[in-house]
Amino acid sequence: MELIYRGAEADVFKGGWCDRPAVYKVRKPLTYRLPELDGLIRSQRTSHEAQIIHQSRGAGVPAPWLYYVSPEEALLVMEFVEGERLKTVLMDPAMTGRRARELGAEFGRDIARLHAAGIMHGDLTTSNVIVGGGRLTLIDFGLAIRSQRLEDQAVDLRLIKETVTGAHNGVSKPFMRSLLAGYSEVLGGTRTAAAARKLAEIERRGRYARVE
Amino acid sequence: MRGNLRVLGIESTAHTFSASVVGEREGVITNAKDVYLPPEGSGIHPAEAADHHLSVAARVVREALDEAGAQGLDDVDAVAYSMGPGLGPCLRVGAVTARALSLASGKPLVAVNHAVGHIELGCLLTGARAPLVLLISGGHTMVLAHSNGVWRVLGETLDLTLGQLLDQIGRHVGFASPCGRRIEEAAARSSRYLRLPYTVKGNDVSFSGVLTAAKRLVDGGAPPEDVFYSVQETAFAITTEVTERALAFTGARELLVVGGVAANRRLSEMLRKMAERHEASVMVVPPQFSGDCGAQIAWTGLLAYRAGESLAGVAESVVRQSWRLDTVRTPWRA
Ligand SMILES: Nc1ncnc2c1ncn2[C@@H]1O[C@H](COP(=O)(O)OP(=O)(O)O)[C@@H](O)[C@H]1O
Ligand SMILES: [Mg+2]
């Protein structure tokens, strides 16, 4: 098996599963955490990620097929999704405003479908989207939560905004605008406007939590 | 401007009234302070803290100037003060003091953002050059990196700060705030982990669930040291996790830890273990400068003044209770 990614939380390997290319995602022990707390978090996040991947597919949002889940070993085996990470795609010097708008709109629709199904991804960065096969596939649902709250939807949107503004400055404006347009195609203008207002509110309030 | 700039800085955002003289070559020369202590079991009362600051201001400023061996204000090039963010009544005492000193001496006023002050003083004292910053105090819990002329927020708390979490659980058992040190000492006597909610949302953290559950444990008769131990283990692991994500994302080689909670040794131990894997070095501000102090204002004031930033006149010396860190211009940084 080949190590394809070493993250803060998990190592990701490429291998096979019944003759198909597969991804093995293993959450490693983190030594700074108390072992009992660490073990609990790793197994919880593993089974949770599996459940949410399943639910996302059910909501019509492309996510990898799951092949095997083992919370005890903190291991997930899933479909290897062919393509490039959205992060890499957006950083391509040949990226055009038009293509960025298409990607933004598609991503916005996917996020809205998740939110409509009560799933907050929890880690919406451009590293967690794979562009390939004529669509976007969302991965890395380890921090996802189930929620119907506007606040949680806004937190999701805020992270993608932060990532895009920070790392993909050139295309961030057209990308974000189309993302919100795509979002409102699915969830409607009223809910989108409410989410955008909440997002602005979180930005204001979060910046300086006051000493009471 | 002369060869070796000197700046007097005044800090008064919350509990602490402090004045300091720094020099371009010497770094921190003096750092006098007097901290308002609320009665046991209660939090900071802004008006009372401001009264405290008013009553000690003249003495603290004199101490900072005298110990610098200076001919009073004649020896400094500018007067810096903490413009915000913080508590209005407290901030105003600092601003008024700085204004009076500036008028009396004819030295220019420099307005400093308190949070930027924590970061810049941390860089001075640890030698950090281009760090990822973890700012943890009563007012802030943020992970920051410098880019495009500002300190950009990569992650932060969505509700309570780490300082507030520790203070509020400490007060719940009857300690006077700030209670960070007493909590750390009590926690060191325990190794019994009681489960608390662990909430990470993307790059952000939330501590309100930890506080609610911890208070409930105390009310249910759990020994305070076990609760403190569990609060620290949980909240610090959460903090370390989002810091690690930011470290992996930015590829930074230095992690600078500043703010009052930086004095906690368990937290820096966790951060060191984490940073090892990323081959990043952890640089923690020395404990005597982790809490609010005049030196953070004086030093940042010096950097700003040297970069050409000073207020046009005393009329501009307002206070800004909620001044976002990521809107502060930092022309002294490339
Ligand atoms: N199913 C998959 N197909 C293809 N690549 C994947 C898949 N899952 C993960 N990866 C690759 O591994 C990286 C890390 O996986 P991810 O689940 O995001 O872990 P982490 O939680 O550490 O970010 C991804 O950014 C992607 O490049
Ligand atoms: Mg990921």
Side-chain angles (χ1 to χ4, degrees):
Chain A
M1 277 206 296
E2 175 202 354
L3 178 73
I4 55 172
Y5 176 84
R6 161 158 293 169
E9 192 189 13
D11 286 340
V12 176
F13 301 87
K14 187 177 178 185
W17 188 265
C18 302
D19 296 331
R20 292 189 196 150
V23 157
Y24 287 67
K25 178 172 179 176
V26 194
R27 290 188 157 81
K28 332 165 256 201
L30 296 178
T31 54
Y32 62 79
R33 266 191 318 227
L34 217 57
E36 47 199 302
L37 177 59
D38 186 57
L40 207 69
I41 294 167
R42 285 187 295 125
S43 74
Q44 271 178 0
R45 285 206 184 143
T46 302
S47 53
H48 184 70
E49 179 165 13
Q51 276 169 19
I52 300 269
I53 287 179
H54 186 72
Q55 291 163 356
S56 301
R57 298 184 56 90
V61 177
W65 285 103
L66 277 177
Y67 299 152
Y68 178 74
V69 183
S70 169
E72 300 74 42
E73 300 159 277
L75 169 68
L76 283 180
V77 184
M78 64 190 122
E79 171 194 0
F80 179 85
V81 180
E82 301 283 352
E84 290 272 18
R85 296 201 276 180
L86 179 59
K87 180 177 184 177
T88 320
V89 174
L90 286 180
M91 280 197 297
D92 185 344
M95 172 55 54
T96 60
R98 183 197 168 130
R99 180 73 182 129
R101 281 194 295 276
E102 277 170 22
L103 290 166
E106 180 73 33
F107 193 22
R109 286 189 289 269
D110 284 337
I111 301 168
R113 285 186 197 110
L114 277 185
H115 287 182
I119 300 166
M120 309 299 121
H121 182 282
D123 196 11
L124 277 180
T125 68
T126 47
S127 298
N128 290 330
V129 184
I130 296 176
V131 186
R135 62 177 181 180
L136 303 180
T137 304
L138 269 55
I139 59 169
D140 200 359
F141 290 83
L143 293 175
I145 53 167
R146 304 234 30 142
S147 162
Q148 305 286 348
R149 292 168 60 213
L150 189 61
E151 164 113 11
D152 291 321
Q153 298 170 8
V155 170
D156 243 6
L157 292 172
R158 171 166 169 254
L159 184 61
I160 187 67
K161 185 178 167 194
E162 287 262 347
T163 319
V164 174
T165 321
H168 312 288
N169 244 318
V171 294
S172 65
K173 284 226 170 79
F175 183 86
M176 273 316 288
R177 214 174 298 131
S178 327
L179 186 146
L180 285 177
Y183 192 85
S184 77
E185 276 174 41
V186 176
L187 278 178
T190 319
R191 273 186 74 175
T192 304
R197 269 197 307 276
K198 199 74 188 177
L199 168 69
E201 185 197 314
I202 289 175
E203 283 175 333
R204 273 196 311 276
R205 133 166 77 88
R207 294 309 174 194
Y208 180 59
R210 285 194 50 185
V211 185
E212 29 61 86
Chain B
M1 283 186 206
R2 19 176 223 141
N4 183 23
L5 286 179
R6 277 193 173 196
V7 172
L8 168 71
I10 292 172
E11 156 63 25
S12 72
T13 50
H15 291 91
T16 303
F17 187 91
S18 175
S20 158
V21 177
V22 299
E24 205 170 8
R25 289 202 205 103
E26 304 93 322
V28 180
I29 301 168
T30 62
N31 188 43
K33 64 160 97 172
D34 197 307
V35 180
Y36 159 75
L37 292 174
E40 293 263 319
S42 69
I44 185 168
H45 192 291
E48 280 164 23
D51 282 348
H52 161 269
H53 294 352
L54 265 180
S55 68
V56 302
R59 176 175 54 77
V60 172
V61 170
R62 172 119 326 278
E63 229 175 277
L65 288 170
D66 286 352
E67 283 171 23
Q71 278 97 47
L73 277 171
D74 293 344
D75 243 21
V76 304
D77 298 271
V79 178
Y81 75 101
S82 192
M83 184 184 252
L87 302 168
C90 298
L91 285 169
R92 278 188 281 277
V93 178
V96 165
T97 309
R99 211 179 288 164
L101 291 166
S102 164
L103 281 173
S105 64
K107 302 295 163 86
L109 270 176
V110 182
V112 171
N113 177 287
H114 172 86
V116 171
H118 274 299
I119 301 174
E120 291 300 348
L121 181 64
C123 287
L124 170 73
L125 297 175
T126 63
R129 295 172 141 272
L132 180 77
V133 176
L134 176 61
L135 168 59
I136 39 178
S137 63
H140 297 80
T141 294
M142 286 180 168
V143 183
L144 306 134
H146 197 266
S147 84
N148 293 324
V150 292
W151 285 100
R152 214 169 72 74
V153 180
L154 299 178
E156 66 188 307
T157 181
L158 297 169
D159 39 56
L160 299 173
T161 65
L162 259 183
Q164 288 170 334
L165 169 67
L166 296 174
D167 273 354
Q168 291 189 22
I169 191 64
R171 287 216 304 275
H172 196 68
V173 304
F175 292 174
S177 60
C179 356
R181 167 124 25 106
R182 282 172 78 178
I183 287 181
E184 181 176 3
E185 284 165 7
R189 292 195 296 272
S190 166
S191 56
R192 195 161 81 96
Y193 183 70
L194 309 169
R195 273 193 64 184
L196 292 170
Y198 187 99
T199 314
V200 171
K201 293 185 181 177
N203 292 335
D204 295 328
V205 301
S206 157
F207 296 128
S208 57
V210 178
L211 180 63
T212 312
K215 280 182 172 169
R216 206 171 290 144
L217 286 171
V218 170
D219 296 341
E225 62 267 25
D226 292 348
V227 177
F228 295 154
Y229 173 74
S230 309
V231 166
Q232 283 200 29
E233 289 302 318
T234 310
F236 295 169
I238 292 173
T239 307
T240 306
E241 183 178 337
V242 294
T243 308
E244 176 163 34
R245 292 157 67 82
L247 207 56
F249 180 74
T250 57
R253 311 314 302 265
E254 300 170 328
L255 170 62
L256 174 68
V257 191
V258 294
V261 188
N264 188 294
R265 276 154 311 194
R266 174 58 181 143
L267 176 59
S268 44
E269 181 192 336
M270 283 196 201
L271 292 168
R272 286 216 164 81
K273 278 193 188 154
M274 176 278 283
E276 235 167 54
R277 298 199 302 146
H278 299 270
E279 286 162 47
S281 46
V282 179
M283 304 161 116
V284 184
V285 67
Q288 68 272 32
F289 291 105
S290 62
D292 297 347
C293 64
Q296 73 194 74
I297 305 306
W299 180 249
T300 310
L302 189 151
L303 296 175
Y305 182 63
R306 196 166 60 185
E309 305 243 308
S310 61
L311 299 181
V314 289
E316 284 186 21
S317 61
V318 292
V319 302
R320 300 171 69 176
Q321 294 191 53
S322 40
W323 184 11
R324 285 168 48 162
L325 172 51
D326 56 1
T327 63
V328 182
R329 298 189 313 126
T330 54
W332 57 88
R333 272 192 182 266

